[in-house]
Amino acid sequence: MRKDTQCVHSGAIKDTMSGGVISPIFTTTAFDYLDREHLSYPRYFNTPNQNAVVAKVCALEVAEDGVLFSSGMAAMSTAILAFVKSGDHVVMMDELYGGTHALATDEFPRLGIECTFTATDADAVCKAVKDNTRIIVIESPTNPLLSVIDIKKVAEFARKRNIVTIIDNTFATPLHQNPHGLGIDIVVHSGTKYMGGHSDICCGIAVTTREKTERIRAVARNLGGSLNAATCALLERSMMTLSIRVGRQTENAGRIAQHLEQHAKVRRVNYPGLASSAFHRLARSQMDGFGAMLSFELDQEKVDPNRFVRSLRIIKPAVSLGGIESTICAPAVTSHAKISAEERRRIGISDSLLRLSVGIEQVDDLIEDIEGALK
Ligand SMILES: *Cc1c(COP(=O)(O)O)cnc(C)c1O
């Protein structure tokens, strides 16, 4: 099956009792244990509705198996903690999602785990590797600058040294990028974003080989963070429209990026789909589409970013992303507020930078909304 079809059909539970075409929801938390090979329990990460979602995501990501969690950070933290111990070293990029950054800075020190943060560049990541490096965590495209890293280069380097590689694939979605096929061990998604897609459920997933899944699942049983059946069913339902949602969102994002790029009041646009982007060629080589996230810097002498955001009528000022509705936020006062102003400047996040999550609305309405607010 192609991806559009996998979104609809892969992993569905066959309803042999009633012949219904949609996966039934099994809300039970207590399962018969007699004459069974595996014990089922929600926090064992193996109930029918959890398995259905995992199978669908595995089909899309071309991975053997995976574990579904109650948040993206549960997926990321469990995947990392499954492969490190005290004395080990982890390499991360400094442009990583804020929560992953905080996990390393707030929790690693007292666990005796060392971490080096690097620029969003494959050579920089490889150079940071030491004898005790056990894990490399990357993200591409990044939040909020939409930087792209050479995934294959990092994966090949790490594989030779037996280092476990983890990628946060949330922004790309499984439709645009399949890092497992490029050699990355573990692919993590915040399902709260595009997979859920309607800004109303919180979940996450890690997919990888059968062997690494066993390890992650074993640690997950101890840490918890499992997802209930009702939310699994909502997620499965949402994923059925993933390809048409993300397809439309990506198309809209491309149009808006081009529009903003030629605008006199916009100083710069970050979107790997633009031919002018420094990451365009690399993105083309490892992605099937460029996604629906973009960021741009207003010319502060011409527009006050705060007034601009308040003047929008359709695009909503909100944190989080990936929903069917377009949302916008200023990273300097939201996702990256905890980082010092100096560090933000160093990474390239100015006070006038705005991050736009493009929805499925008619794109001309979105462009008119932006035009009106710019005026
Ligand atoms: C939101 C997000 C996460 C964390 O996901 P939660 O579901 O909020 O825990 C991780 N990575 C990226 C890129 C995200 O956007």
Side-chain angles (χ1 to χ4, degrees):
M1 287 189 280
R2 279 81 169 174
K3 286 190 174 182
D4 299 331
T5 316
Q6 288 171 334
C7 282
V8 180
H9 294 291
S10 290
I13 302 166
K14 195 170 165 61
D15 181 358
T16 51
M17 195 179 147
S18 76
V21 298
I22 294 300
S23 299
I25 307 175
F26 297 95
T27 54
T28 184
T29 56
F31 291 83
D32 184 353
Y33 71 93
L34 297 173
D35 307 319
R36 305 223 170 217
E37 202 183 327
H38 300 289
L39 303 182
S40 288
Y41 186 61
R43 193 180 32 77
Y44 287 0
F45 297 82
N46 59 3
T47 63
N49 293 101
Q50 291 170 343
N51 292 343
V53 173
V54 167
K56 199 187 283 294
V57 177
C58 284
L60 290 165
E61 283 288 10
V62 201
E64 286 175 357
D65 203 355
V67 184
L68 180 64
F69 292 89
S70 54
S71 74
M73 279 313 299
M76 181 57 86
S77 58
T78 307
I80 292 174
L81 292 175
F83 295 97
V84 278
K85 60 180 189 323
S86 173
D88 287 346
H89 175 245
V90 177
V91 176
M92 290 190 180
M93 295 164 13
D94 51 19
E95 259 189 83
L96 282 184
Y97 175 73
T100 311
H101 200 281
L103 171 72
T105 50
D106 296 352
E107 311 300 335
F108 281 8
R110 67 192 167 80
L111 299 175
I113 302 163
E114 209 192 330
C115 187
T116 303
F117 289 98
T118 76
T120 306
D121 172 74
D123 291 328
V125 167
C126 296
K127 244 172 80 183
V129 164
K130 306 199 286 189
D131 288 342
N132 59 339
T133 304
R134 286 294 301 134
I135 298 184
I136 295 174
V137 184
I138 60 171
E139 191 172 314
S140 186
T142 62
N143 173 27
L145 295 171
L146 286 304
S147 307
V148 175
I149 188 166
D150 191 331
I151 295 172
K152 217 170 174 174
K153 200 167 186 178
V154 173
E156 280 170 6
F157 179 90
R159 181 135 303 182
K160 280 190 213 128
R161 288 160 185 78
N162 251 334
I163 297 167
V164 175
T165 46
I166 303 177
I167 190 168
D168 187 329
N169 206 30
T170 302
F171 272 33
T173 82
L175 299 171
H176 291 319
Q177 183 168 276
N178 295 135
H180 199 49
L182 298 170
I184 294 290
D185 293 312
I186 304 166
V187 180
V188 171
H189 284 275
S190 168
T192 314
K193 314 299 165 55
Y194 289 99
M195 288 182 178
H198 298 72
S199 307
D200 58 4
I201 58 178
C202 187
C203 52
I205 191 163
V207 297
T208 176
T209 58
R210 207 155 280 131
E211 191 190 338
K212 286 199 166 57
T213 297
E214 279 314 311
R215 174 74 198 138
I216 295 170
R217 191 180 284 122
V219 174
R221 284 179 185 196
N222 294 331
L223 296 179
S226 54
L227 195 64
N228 65 79
T231 310
C232 288
L234 275 177
L235 177 57
E236 187 183 349
R237 175 187 168 136
S238 290
M239 295 226 17
M240 291 181 182
T241 56
L242 181 71
S243 75
I244 53 168
R245 280 188 283 109
V246 172
R248 170 68 168 259
Q249 287 170 292
T250 299
E251 220 178 284
N252 285 356
R255 280 276 308 280
I256 292 171
Q258 278 173 4
H259 183 85
L260 290 171
E261 190 180 33
Q262 47 76 43
H263 205 290
K265 292 179 181 172
V266 176
R267 211 168 338 137
R268 97 178 250 113
V269 181
N270 303 307
Y271 184 64
L274 288 172
S276 60
S277 162
F279 300 110
H280 185 64
R281 268 179 58 151
L282 179 57
R284 276 190 91 96
S285 74
Q286 62 190 26
M287 299 178 83
D288 287 329
F290 305 105
M293 295 301 302
L294 58 94
S295 61
F296 57 100
E297 239 174 90
L298 294 169
D299 187 335
Q300 259 183 307
E301 282 163 22
K302 294 177 180 150
V303 199
D304 171 14
N306 200 13
R307 266 192 73 195
F308 169 77
V309 167
R310 285 171 193 274
S311 306
L312 291 163
R313 292 184 177 167
I314 296 171
I315 300 168
K316 293 190 174 83
V319 284
S320 199
L321 56 106
I324 48 167
E325 69 291 310
S326 296
T327 56
I328 194 162
C329 74
V333 294
T334 56
S335 57
H336 292 69
K338 270 173 68 184
I339 299 174
S340 71
E342 192 184 325
E343 176 72 359
R344 279 201 303 269
R345 245 192 316 279
R346 196 183 64 74
I347 304 175
I349 301 169
S350 76
D351 291 346
S352 64
L353 183 78
L354 295 173
R355 187 195 73 186
L356 182 62
S357 169
V358 182
I360 63 167
E361 300 94 337
Q362 161 58 244
V363 69
D364 294 320
D365 286 330
L366 297 176
I367 290 174
E368 281 168 26
D369 195 25
I370 291 167
E371 271 307 304
L374 283 173
K375 275 194 192 109

